[in-house]
Amino acid sequence: QLVALKGIPTLIKHLKDFGNDEELVDKVIDTLVRLSSDDDCSAKLSESGMFYFVGLIDKHSKNMELLTQIFMFLGQSLFSYCS
C-alpha cells in the first residue's frame, strides 16, 4: 500500500531535501531497511533512487553509524532484489 500511495518517492525526497540532517537520514534509512523486505517496496526503491543512496555514502563518510545503516539498507535491498 505504501507503494500505491507514493510513500517511497516521498521518503527519497526527504533524503534529498534534508540529506545533511544525519538524524533524519538515519531514521529514513532505518525505515527503508524495513520496507525493503517487501518485494514491491524493494522494486520501487531500486527504480527510484539507488544512485542517490550510494551518494549518501560519500556525503556521510565520517559517520560510521550512519554508514552502517546505509550499507544495511543496500545489502537488504540487494538481497530482496535477488530473491
Side-chain angles (χ1 to χ4, degrees), residues 10-58:
T10 300
L11 290 171
I12 293 170
K13 182 178 181 333
H14 286 312
L15 285 176
K16 289 178 180 177
D17 292 345
F18 305 105
N20 292 327
D21 182 340
E22 291 185 347
E23 185 176 346
L24 180 118
V25 171
D26 181 55
K27 299 298 182 195
V28 171
I29 294 292
D30 186 53
T31 301
L32 294 177
V33 167
R34 296 170 198 279
L35 291 174
S36 66
S37 64
D38 177 82
D39 290 340
D40 291 335
C41 288
S42 182
K44 188 65 175 175
L45 285 165
S46 296
E47 294 170 8
S48 299
M50 276 303 167
F51 69 93
Y52 184 74
F53 300 126
V54 172
L56 287 173
I57 294 168
D58 284 335

Side-chain angles (χ1 to χ4, degrees), residues 1-8 35 38 40-41:
Q1 183 152 1
L2 185 70
V3 173
L5 296 174
K6 299 185 177 158
I8 291 173
L35 291 174
D38 177 82
D40 291 335
C41 288

